[in-house]
Amino acid sequence: MTIAERVAAVRDRIAAAAARAGRDPGEVTLVAVSKTVPVAAMREAYAAGIRDFGENRAQEARDKFPAFGEDVRWHFVGRLQTNKVKYIARHCHLLHSLDRLALAQEVDRRAGRCGRVLPCLVEVNVAGEPTKAGLPPEKVVPFLQQVAGMKGLQVVGLMTVAPPTDDPERVRPVFRQLRQLAEEAARQCRGLPGIELRHLSMGMTDDFEVAVEEGATIVRIGRAIFGERG
Ligand SMILES: *Cc1c(COP(=O)(O)O)cnc(C)c1O
């Protein structure tokens, strides 16, 4: 299959999953995760209508920014070291992996220097996997209280990476918990400045349909679009 055919197939699957849940597929943003993918393949995805790309290495992202115009939205989906925030602060449309105060402070500082407010998602380790990035669910509200009011960032939702599985039904509870956590946190944080939990970034190649059924507003898909990474 060509990249254009793969993009079309993924869009069809998103639409079908949304329909099963009684949702409008237009509520779901497809982010094509282009980490390790050469710009030429990204251009094929662009020609197929993709305008959202996801990267997980700051320098790789920085090197790719100039290859596309202002109509492309860059998502940063990986673990981000504080000393690399400077590479993405100007061009990143949405940071999916905010998970600690030191990172929030550096984002605040660097985005402020660029004269912008960087939208962020708080990454949550829903399943409590020991080696995984993200805050434990019970730390999310205290963290939101700490970052509320930082001028250089705003929190617009939550993100999670489900445990790897060959049966996506097994991770449905993870997605459901993220949605419930977002609803509960939104209640507890009502009125806090710069906190508005309207997005759920969840679902990857192996589990995105279940994530859409459970309320994802952003899915992050690499292999189903670009093929296996080398
Ligand atoms: C690589 C990656 C993805 C995409 O994974 P696929 O399985 O290739 O769809 C999504 N989210 C994050 C955080 C990633 O690192």
Side-chain angles (χ1 to χ4, degrees), residues 7 17 24 26 30 32 68 71-72 83 88 90 100 106 138 141 143-144 147 150 169-170 172 181 186 189 206 221:
V7 167
D24 173 0
L30 168 57
F68 293 87
D71 57 337
V72 160
N83 63 355
I88 65 150
R90 186 175 299 277
R100 59 194 191 279
E106 180 65 2
E138 68 276 12
V141 167
F143 181 70
L144 292 171
V147 303
M150 288 186 178
E169 281 305 325
R170 294 185 53 183
R172 186 182 293 278
L181 175 63
C189 295
D206 291 328
I221 299 183

PDB file of all heavy atoms in Angstrom, residues 7 17 24 26 30 32 68 71-72 83 88 90 100 106 138 141 143-144 147 150 169-170 172 181 186 189 206 221:
ATOM      1  N   VAL A   7      -3.108   6.241   4.791  1.00  0.00           N
ATOM      2  CA  VAL A   7      -3.785   7.362   5.467  1.00  0.00           C
ATOM      3  C   VAL A   7      -5.295   7.215   5.310  1.00  0.00           C
ATOM      4  O   VAL A   7      -6.060   7.357   6.275  1.00  0.00           O
ATOM      5  CB  VAL A   7      -3.302   8.717   4.910  1.00  0.00           C
ATOM      6  CG1 VAL A   7      -4.210   9.857   5.371  1.00  0.00           C
ATOM      7  CG2 VAL A   7      -1.858   8.978   5.339  1.00  0.00           C
ATOM      8  N   ALA A  17     -14.886   3.747  14.028  1.00  0.00           N
ATOM      9  CA  ALA A  17     -14.845   3.667  15.499  1.00  0.00           C
ATOM     10  C   ALA A  17     -15.679   4.795  16.106  1.00  0.00           C
ATOM     11  O   ALA A  17     -16.415   4.597  17.073  1.00  0.00           O
ATOM     12  CB  ALA A  17     -13.397   3.733  15.996  1.00  0.00           C
ATOM     13  N   ASP A  24     -18.784  12.224  16.393  1.00  0.00           N
ATOM     14  CA  ASP A  24     -18.455  12.851  15.116  1.00  0.00           C
ATOM     15  C   ASP A  24     -16.959  12.642  14.851  1.00  0.00           C
ATOM     16  O   ASP A  24     -16.136  13.071  15.649  1.00  0.00           O
ATOM     17  CB  ASP A  24     -18.785  14.350  15.236  1.00  0.00           C
ATOM     18  CG  ASP A  24     -18.329  15.155  14.029  1.00  0.00           C
ATOM     19  OD1 ASP A  24     -17.760  14.565  13.078  1.00  0.00           O
ATOM     20  OD2 ASP A  24     -18.546  16.376  14.052  1.00  0.00           O
ATOM     21  N   GLY A  26     -15.073  14.121  13.044  1.00  0.00           N
ATOM     22  CA  GLY A  26     -14.401  15.416  12.964  1.00  0.00           C
ATOM     23  C   GLY A  26     -13.833  15.888  14.300  1.00  0.00           C
ATOM     24  O   GLY A  26     -13.015  16.790  14.350  1.00  0.00           O
ATOM     25  N   LEU A  30      -6.042  13.326  13.675  1.00  0.00           N
ATOM     26  CA  LEU A  30      -5.066  12.285  13.373  1.00  0.00           C
ATOM     27  C   LEU A  30      -3.675  12.914  13.315  1.00  0.00           C
ATOM     28  O   LEU A  30      -3.402  13.745  12.446  1.00  0.00           O
ATOM     29  CB  LEU A  30      -5.412  11.631  12.031  1.00  0.00           C
ATOM     30  CG  LEU A  30      -4.350  10.710  11.409  1.00  0.00           C
ATOM     31  CD1 LEU A  30      -3.964   9.575  12.349  1.00  0.00           C
ATOM     32  CD2 LEU A  30      -4.863  10.166  10.068  1.00  0.00           C
ATOM     33  N   ALA A  32       0.079  12.095  12.538  1.00  0.00           N
ATOM     34  CA  ALA A  32       0.958  11.106  11.919  1.00  0.00           C
ATOM     35  C   ALA A  32       2.316  11.180  12.614  1.00  0.00           C
ATOM     36  O   ALA A  32       3.012  12.183  12.518  1.00  0.00           O
ATOM     37  CB  ALA A  32       1.108  11.395  10.428  1.00  0.00           C
ATOM     38  N   PHE A  68       8.550  22.169   6.040  1.00  0.00           N
ATOM     39  CA  PHE A  68       7.121  22.378   5.811  1.00  0.00           C
ATOM     40  C   PHE A  68       6.748  23.812   6.167  1.00  0.00           C
ATOM     41  O   PHE A  68       7.491  24.513   6.840  1.00  0.00           O
ATOM     42  CB  PHE A  68       6.291  21.390   6.649  1.00  0.00           C
ATOM     43  CG  PHE A  68       6.460  19.962   6.215  1.00  0.00           C
ATOM     44  CD1 PHE A  68       7.483  19.188   6.726  1.00  0.00           C
ATOM     45  CD2 PHE A  68       5.618  19.409   5.260  1.00  0.00           C
ATOM     46  CE1 PHE A  68       7.667  17.865   6.308  1.00  0.00           C
ATOM     47  CE2 PHE A  68       5.783  18.096   4.836  1.00  0.00           C
ATOM     48  CZ  PHE A  68       6.806  17.318   5.363  1.00  0.00           C
ATOM     49  N   ASP A  71       1.275  25.804   7.655  1.00  0.00           N
ATOM     50  CA  ASP A  71       0.015  25.062   7.776  1.00  0.00           C
ATOM     51  C   ASP A  71       0.200  23.723   8.493  1.00  0.00           C
ATOM     52  O   ASP A  71      -0.782  23.057   8.827  1.00  0.00           O
ATOM     53  CB  ASP A  71      -0.626  24.843   6.395  1.00  0.00           C
ATOM     54  CG  ASP A  71       0.298  24.121   5.430  1.00  0.00           C
ATOM     55  OD1 ASP A  71       1.533  24.162   5.628  1.00  0.00           O
ATOM     56  OD2 ASP A  71      -0.212  23.505   4.473  1.00  0.00           O
ATOM     57  N   VAL A  72       1.446  23.321   8.726  1.00  0.00           N
ATOM     58  CA  VAL A  72       1.686  22.065   9.442  1.00  0.00           C
ATOM     59  C   VAL A  72       1.764  22.320  10.941  1.00  0.00           C
ATOM     60  O   VAL A  72       2.357  23.284  11.394  1.00  0.00           O
ATOM     61  CB  VAL A  72       2.970  21.382   8.926  1.00  0.00           C
ATOM     62  CG1 VAL A  72       3.514  20.377   9.932  1.00  0.00           C
ATOM     63  CG2 VAL A  72       2.694  20.684   7.594  1.00  0.00           C
ATOM     64  N   ASN A  83      16.742  20.508  28.865  1.00  0.00           N
ATOM     65  CA  ASN A  83      17.725  21.273  28.085  1.00  0.00           C
ATOM     66  C   ASN A  83      17.444  21.243  26.580  1.00  0.00           C
ATOM     67  O   ASN A  83      18.174  21.845  25.799  1.00  0.00           O
ATOM     68  CB  ASN A  83      19.148  20.794  28.388  1.00  0.00           C
ATOM     69  CG  ASN A  83      19.382  19.351  27.982  1.00  0.00           C
ATOM     70  OD1 ASN A  83      18.447  18.665  27.556  1.00  0.00           O
ATOM     71  ND2 ASN A  83      20.592  18.879  28.105  1.00  0.00           N
ATOM     72  N   ILE A  88      12.248  23.261  20.507  1.00  0.00           N
ATOM     73  CA  ILE A  88      10.865  23.109  20.024  1.00  0.00           C
ATOM     74  C   ILE A  88       9.927  24.236  20.458  1.00  0.00           C
ATOM     75  O   ILE A  88       8.794  24.303  19.996  1.00  0.00           O
ATOM     76  CB  ILE A  88      10.264  21.759  20.471  1.00  0.00           C
ATOM     77  CG1 ILE A  88      10.122  21.700  22.005  1.00  0.00           C
ATOM     78  CG2 ILE A  88      11.104  20.577  19.971  1.00  0.00           C
ATOM     79  CD1 ILE A  88       8.971  20.832  22.428  1.00  0.00           C
ATOM     80  N   ARG A  90       9.423  27.286  19.891  1.00  0.00           N
ATOM     81  CA  ARG A  90       8.811  28.222  18.950  1.00  0.00           C
ATOM     82  C   ARG A  90       7.811  27.548  18.015  1.00  0.00           C
ATOM     83  O   ARG A  90       6.763  28.094  17.700  1.00  0.00           O
ATOM     84  CB  ARG A  90       9.899  28.927  18.120  1.00  0.00           C
ATOM     85  CG  ARG A  90       9.357  30.028  17.209  1.00  0.00           C
ATOM     86  CD  ARG A  90      10.476  30.774  16.500  1.00  0.00           C
ATOM     87  NE  ARG A  90      11.380  31.444  17.417  1.00  0.00           N
ATOM     88  CZ  ARG A  90      11.164  32.646  17.965  1.00  0.00           C
ATOM     89  NH1 ARG A  90      10.056  33.296  17.676  1.00  0.00           N
ATOM     90  NH2 ARG A  90      12.041  33.169  18.784  1.00  0.00           N
ATOM     91  N   ARG A 100       6.397  16.894  34.589  1.00  0.00           N
ATOM     92  CA  ARG A 100       7.117  17.265  35.812  1.00  0.00           C
ATOM     93  C   ARG A 100       7.283  18.769  35.886  1.00  0.00           C
ATOM     94  O   ARG A 100       7.281  19.454  34.856  1.00  0.00           O
ATOM     95  CB  ARG A 100       8.464  16.542  35.893  1.00  0.00           C
ATOM     96  CG  ARG A 100       9.363  16.832  34.725  1.00  0.00           C
ATOM     97  CD  ARG A 100      10.538  15.841  34.654  1.00  0.00           C
ATOM     98  NE  ARG A 100      11.525  16.306  33.689  1.00  0.00           N
ATOM     99  CZ  ARG A 100      11.427  16.142  32.378  1.00  0.00           C
ATOM    100  NH1 ARG A 100      10.377  15.516  31.858  1.00  0.00           N
ATOM    101  NH2 ARG A 100      12.359  16.613  31.579  1.00  0.00           N
ATOM    102  N   GLU A 106      10.615  25.188  32.518  1.00  0.00           N
ATOM    103  CA  GLU A 106      11.444  25.492  31.354  1.00  0.00           C
ATOM    104  C   GLU A 106      10.575  25.825  30.133  1.00  0.00           C
ATOM    105  O   GLU A 106      10.901  26.728  29.355  1.00  0.00           O
ATOM    106  CB  GLU A 106      12.381  24.316  31.069  1.00  0.00           C
ATOM    107  CG  GLU A 106      13.309  24.500  29.886  1.00  0.00           C
ATOM    108  CD  GLU A 106      14.338  25.620  30.040  1.00  0.00           C
ATOM    109  OE1 GLU A 106      14.379  26.284  31.112  1.00  0.00           O
ATOM    110  OE2 GLU A 106      15.094  25.858  29.071  1.00  0.00           O
ATOM    111  N   GLU A 138      -3.023   9.965  40.648  1.00  0.00           N
ATOM    112  CA  GLU A 138      -3.326  10.763  41.850  1.00  0.00           C
ATOM    113  C   GLU A 138      -2.473  12.022  41.949  1.00  0.00           C
ATOM    114  O   GLU A 138      -2.762  12.911  42.741  1.00  0.00           O
ATOM    115  CB  GLU A 138      -3.201   9.905  43.124  1.00  0.00           C
ATOM    116  CG  GLU A 138      -1.796   9.467  43.469  1.00  0.00           C
ATOM    117  CD  GLU A 138      -1.342   8.196  42.735  1.00  0.00           C
ATOM    118  OE1 GLU A 138      -2.020   7.749  41.782  1.00  0.00           O
ATOM    119  OE2 GLU A 138      -0.281   7.664  43.127  1.00  0.00           O
ATOM    120  N   VAL A 141      -3.923  16.193  39.644  1.00  0.00           N
ATOM    121  CA  VAL A 141      -4.551  17.437  40.130  1.00  0.00           C
ATOM    122  C   VAL A 141      -3.546  18.321  40.874  1.00  0.00           C
ATOM    123  O   VAL A 141      -3.454  19.526  40.588  1.00  0.00           O
ATOM    124  CB  VAL A 141      -5.819  17.141  40.969  1.00  0.00           C
ATOM    125  CG1 VAL A 141      -6.277  18.385  41.725  1.00  0.00           C
ATOM    126  CG2 VAL A 141      -6.933  16.632  40.051  1.00  0.00           C
ATOM    127  N   PHE A 143      -0.423  18.511  40.385  1.00  0.00           N
ATOM    128  CA  PHE A 143       0.462  19.065  39.362  1.00  0.00           C
ATOM    129  C   PHE A 143      -0.226  20.217  38.617  1.00  0.00           C
ATOM    130  O   PHE A 143       0.372  21.273  38.386  1.00  0.00           O
ATOM    131  CB  PHE A 143       0.872  17.959  38.385  1.00  0.00           C
ATOM    132  CG  PHE A 143       1.798  18.414  37.289  1.00  0.00           C
ATOM    133  CD1 PHE A 143       3.115  18.761  37.566  1.00  0.00           C
ATOM    134  CD2 PHE A 143       1.356  18.510  35.975  1.00  0.00           C
ATOM    135  CE1 PHE A 143       3.969  19.191  36.556  1.00  0.00           C
ATOM    136  CE2 PHE A 143       2.196  18.943  34.962  1.00  0.00           C
ATOM    137  CZ  PHE A 143       3.514  19.283  35.258  1.00  0.00           C
ATOM    138  N   LEU A 144      -1.482  20.021  38.277  1.00  0.00           N
ATOM    139  CA  LEU A 144      -2.212  21.085  37.579  1.00  0.00           C
ATOM    140  C   LEU A 144      -2.287  22.337  38.450  1.00  0.00           C
ATOM    141  O   LEU A 144      -2.170  23.467  37.951  1.00  0.00           O
ATOM    142  CB  LEU A 144      -3.621  20.608  37.202  1.00  0.00           C
ATOM    143  CG  LEU A 144      -3.671  19.514  36.125  1.00  0.00           C
ATOM    144  CD1 LEU A 144      -5.092  18.957  35.995  1.00  0.00           C
ATOM    145  CD2 LEU A 144      -3.189  20.042  34.780  1.00  0.00           C
ATOM    146  N   VAL A 147       1.072  24.180  38.089  1.00  0.00           N
ATOM    147  CA  VAL A 147       1.414  24.847  36.830  1.00  0.00           C
ATOM    148  C   VAL A 147       0.382  25.912  36.427  1.00  0.00           C
ATOM    149  O   VAL A 147       0.650  26.710  35.528  1.00  0.00           O
ATOM    150  CB  VAL A 147       1.615  23.851  35.660  1.00  0.00           C
ATOM    151  CG1 VAL A 147       2.686  22.833  36.018  1.00  0.00           C
ATOM    152  CG2 VAL A 147       0.327  23.159  35.263  1.00  0.00           C
ATOM    153  N   MET A 150       1.042  29.694  35.042  1.00  0.00           N
ATOM    154  CA  MET A 150       2.291  29.932  34.308  1.00  0.00           C
ATOM    155  C   MET A 150       1.931  30.588  32.980  1.00  0.00           C
ATOM    156  O   MET A 150       1.081  30.082  32.248  1.00  0.00           O
ATOM    157  CB  MET A 150       3.043  28.614  34.075  1.00  0.00           C
ATOM    158  CG  MET A 150       3.668  28.037  35.328  1.00  0.00           C
ATOM    159  SD  MET A 150       4.680  26.577  34.927  1.00  0.00           S
ATOM    160  CE  MET A 150       5.317  26.167  36.559  1.00  0.00           C
ATOM    161  N   GLU A 169      -8.672  -4.789  23.304  1.00  0.00           N
ATOM    162  CA  GLU A 169      -9.726  -4.764  24.330  1.00  0.00           C
ATOM    163  C   GLU A 169      -9.133  -4.716  25.734  1.00  0.00           C
ATOM    164  O   GLU A 169      -9.735  -4.191  26.669  1.00  0.00           O
ATOM    165  CB  GLU A 169     -10.640  -5.989  24.203  1.00  0.00           C
ATOM    166  CG  GLU A 169     -11.675  -5.880  23.107  1.00  0.00           C
ATOM    167  CD  GLU A 169     -12.558  -4.632  23.212  1.00  0.00           C
ATOM    168  OE1 GLU A 169     -12.880  -4.192  24.334  1.00  0.00           O
ATOM    169  OE2 GLU A 169     -12.905  -4.086  22.159  1.00  0.00           O
ATOM    170  N   ARG A 170      -7.940  -5.275  25.883  1.00  0.00           N
ATOM    171  CA  ARG A 170      -7.334  -5.313  27.220  1.00  0.00           C
ATOM    172  C   ARG A 170      -6.908  -3.933  27.701  1.00  0.00           C
ATOM    173  O   ARG A 170      -6.713  -3.727  28.884  1.00  0.00           O
ATOM    174  CB  ARG A 170      -6.144  -6.267  27.219  1.00  0.00           C
ATOM    175  CG  ARG A 170      -6.603  -7.698  27.000  1.00  0.00           C
ATOM    176  CD  ARG A 170      -5.494  -8.690  27.116  1.00  0.00           C
ATOM    177  NE  ARG A 170      -4.756  -8.547  28.375  1.00  0.00           N
ATOM    178  CZ  ARG A 170      -3.692  -9.272  28.670  1.00  0.00           C
ATOM    179  NH1 ARG A 170      -3.246 -10.147  27.800  1.00  0.00           N
ATOM    180  NH2 ARG A 170      -3.069  -9.105  29.813  1.00  0.00           N
ATOM    181  N   ARG A 172      -8.677  -1.156  26.880  1.00  0.00           N
ATOM    182  CA  ARG A 172      -9.843  -0.270  26.964  1.00  0.00           C
ATOM    183  C   ARG A 172      -9.969   0.384  28.352  1.00  0.00           C
ATOM    184  O   ARG A 172     -10.232   1.582  28.451  1.00  0.00           O
ATOM    185  CB  ARG A 172     -11.130  -1.050  26.612  1.00  0.00           C
ATOM    186  CG  ARG A 172     -12.365  -0.174  26.535  1.00  0.00           C
ATOM    187  CD  ARG A 172     -13.625  -0.992  26.231  1.00  0.00           C
ATOM    188  NE  ARG A 172     -13.641  -1.576  24.900  1.00  0.00           N
ATOM    189  CZ  ARG A 172     -14.004  -0.928  23.783  1.00  0.00           C
ATOM    190  NH1 ARG A 172     -14.382   0.327  23.840  1.00  0.00           N
ATOM    191  NH2 ARG A 172     -13.992  -1.549  22.625  1.00  0.00           N
ATOM    192  N   LEU A 181     -10.472  10.349  34.567  1.00  0.00           N
ATOM    193  CA  LEU A 181      -9.551  11.209  35.301  1.00  0.00           C
ATOM    194  C   LEU A 181      -9.635  12.646  34.796  1.00  0.00           C
ATOM    195  O   LEU A 181      -9.643  13.596  35.582  1.00  0.00           O
ATOM    196  CB  LEU A 181      -8.122  10.671  35.142  1.00  0.00           C
ATOM    197  CG  LEU A 181      -7.006  11.500  35.751  1.00  0.00           C
ATOM    198  CD1 LEU A 181      -7.157  11.596  37.269  1.00  0.00           C
ATOM    199  CD2 LEU A 181      -5.644  10.892  35.398  1.00  0.00           C
ATOM    200  N   ALA A 186     -10.981  18.041  35.763  1.00  0.00           N
ATOM    201  CA  ALA A 186     -11.600  19.278  35.272  1.00  0.00           C
ATOM    202  C   ALA A 186     -12.528  19.860  36.343  1.00  0.00           C
ATOM    203  O   ALA A 186     -12.554  21.068  36.565  1.00  0.00           O
ATOM    204  CB  ALA A 186     -12.371  19.008  33.974  1.00  0.00           C
ATOM    205  N   CYS A 189     -10.382  21.346  39.126  1.00  0.00           N
ATOM    206  CA  CYS A 189      -9.535  22.477  38.723  1.00  0.00           C
ATOM    207  C   CYS A 189     -10.351  23.614  38.114  1.00  0.00           C
ATOM    208  O   CYS A 189      -9.771  24.548  37.550  1.00  0.00           O
ATOM    209  CB  CYS A 189      -8.469  22.014  37.739  1.00  0.00           C
ATOM    210  SG  CYS A 189      -7.305  20.864  38.473  1.00  0.00           S
ATOM    211  N   ASP A 206      -1.739   0.110  17.340  1.00  0.00           N
ATOM    212  CA  ASP A 206      -2.335  -1.160  17.769  1.00  0.00           C
ATOM    213  C   ASP A 206      -3.640  -1.009  18.548  1.00  0.00           C
ATOM    214  O   ASP A 206      -4.288  -2.008  18.840  1.00  0.00           O
ATOM    215  CB  ASP A 206      -1.330  -1.937  18.633  1.00  0.00           C
ATOM    216  CG  ASP A 206      -0.153  -2.426  17.797  1.00  0.00           C
ATOM    217  OD1 ASP A 206      -0.354  -2.714  16.595  1.00  0.00           O
ATOM    218  OD2 ASP A 206       0.960  -2.518  18.344  1.00  0.00           O
ATOM    219  N   ILE A 221      -0.470   8.152  15.389  1.00  0.00           N
ATOM    220  CA  ILE A 221      -0.303   6.925  14.624  1.00  0.00           C
ATOM    221  C   ILE A 221       0.935   6.983  13.740  1.00  0.00           C
ATOM    222  O   ILE A 221       1.056   7.868  12.892  1.00  0.00           O
ATOM    223  CB  ILE A 221      -1.582   6.653  13.812  1.00  0.00           C
ATOM    224  CG1 ILE A 221      -2.726   6.484  14.812  1.00  0.00           C
ATOM    225  CG2 ILE A 221      -1.404   5.424  12.929  1.00  0.00           C
ATOM    226  CD1 ILE A 221      -4.039   6.155  14.239  1.00  0.00           C
TER     227      ILE A 221
END
